[in-house]
Amino acid sequence: MNWYVMLEGVISLLLIAGGAFAFIGSLGMAHLRDFYMRLHGPTKATTLGIGCILSASMLYFGVTAGQPVVQEMLITLFLFITAPVSAHLLAKTGLHLKLTHVEKTRGKPVELYREEVGEKPVPHPDKGHG
Amino acid sequence: MLDTALWISQALILMALALNVYRMIVGPSMPDRLLALDTMYVNSIALIVMMGLWLNSKTYFEAALLIAMLGFISTVAVCKYLLRGDIIE
């Protein structure tokens, strides 16, 4: 089996995997019911998909041109650095705007005890005054 | 083999872009639409990279890098506007 045929197979596999990951991420963003759930799809799956596609392009141009390529490496590095930052800012914006969430979403936006927000103190049975 | 893989991958990315447009139109709140826009930037970068593979030219990677940087900066700017009501304080 020729070396170039194997390399073409690897590039094709990376391309199809990248497209599938990007599609799954967007499907999760379109389908899930809650903003905090919808944030999961694009931040993880789509970033992995674009990483696969850029690796395929890097492999292809590295083989055909015979020299290593830098631009795809730059794009990959930049996207992998900035995707968590923008996701964090989006989550902060969602918490700030107090978006509604469904019951199954675990972890409430503000995880405080009821006595810490000025409500009636919760009795502690082991302290003797409850 | 590479042509078929490119066709399949481009079709998948196009479907992903259609889903992003759906979320951007329907999206009940502002961060939903912003998240859809951010994902559209990433998917368009994938589309541009695959167009470079299809045409066998390296001209388009600078455009992809530019879209990545401007997408991140615009996402951060709109997030700051939604958080603080102001972008540069």
Side-chain angles (χ1 to χ4, degrees), chain A residues 1-79:
Chain A
M1 199 168 169
N2 199 357
W3 171 248
Y4 285 104
V5 179
M6 275 171 63
L7 217 53
E8 196 181 349
V10 170
I11 293 172
S12 308
L13 194 69
L14 276 174
L15 272 177
I16 293 180
F21 274 122
F23 177 66
I24 289 168
S26 294
L27 189 68
M29 193 192 61
H31 179 253
L32 292 175
R33 286 164 291 176
D34 191 352
F35 174 71
Y36 307 103
M37 288 188 201
R38 273 176 221 139
L39 202 54
H40 283 285
T43 52
K44 298 182 190 69
T46 305
T47 311
L48 186 59
I50 189 82
C52 284
I53 288 175
L54 285 166
S55 309
S57 172
M58 196 157 57
L59 206 58
Y60 177 78
F61 282 110
V63 168
T64 55
Q67 56 191 9
V69 280
V70 195
Q71 290 106 330
E72 285 103 330
M73 205 70 204
L74 275 177
I75 301 173
T76 312
L77 209 63
F78 191 79
L79 277 175

Side-chain angles (χ1 to χ4, degrees), chain B residues 13-77:
Chain B
I13 294 286
L14 270 181
M15 281 194 283
L17 277 171
L19 287 173
N20 292 341
V21 169
Y22 163 76
R23 178 51 70 194
M24 205 156 86
I25 292 171
V26 168
S29 65
M30 200 64 196
D32 281 311
R33 297 196 165 100
L34 191 52
L35 181 64
L37 190 70
D38 195 53
T39 318
M40 271 178 87
Y41 277 122
V42 177
N43 283 333
S44 64
I45 290 168
L47 213 56
I48 284 177
V49 168
M50 278 192 285
M51 190 174 80
L53 271 176
W54 180 261
L55 296 176
N56 200 3
S57 83
K58 288 204 251 182
T59 319
Y60 300 100
F61 290 129
E62 280 84 7
L65 192 56
L66 210 61
I67 286 180
M69 295 173 71
L70 287 181
F72 172 65
I73 290 171
S74 63
T75 304
V76 169

Side-chain angles (χ1 to χ4, degrees), chain A residues 56-125:
Chain A
S57 172
M58 196 157 57
L59 206 58
Y60 177 78
F61 282 110
V63 168
T64 55
Q67 56 191 9
V69 280
V70 195
Q71 290 106 330
E72 285 103 330
M73 205 70 204
L74 275 177
I75 301 173
T76 312
L77 209 63
F78 191 79
L79 277 175
F80 275 42
I81 288 172
T82 58
V85 178
S86 58
H88 175 234
L89 272 171
L90 278 167
K92 263 176 79 174
T93 312
L95 288 177
H96 176 72
L97 294 180
K98 292 187 177 57
L99 296 181
T100 56
H101 55 89
V102 296
E103 281 297 316
K104 282 163 73 178
T105 303
R106 283 193 287 180
K108 296 292 172 277
V110 181
E111 289 187 329
L112 296 173
Y113 295 117
R114 272 163 59 192
E115 53 195 4
E116 285 175 321
V117 291
E119 289 185 22
K120 188 164 157 277
V122 183
H124 293 283

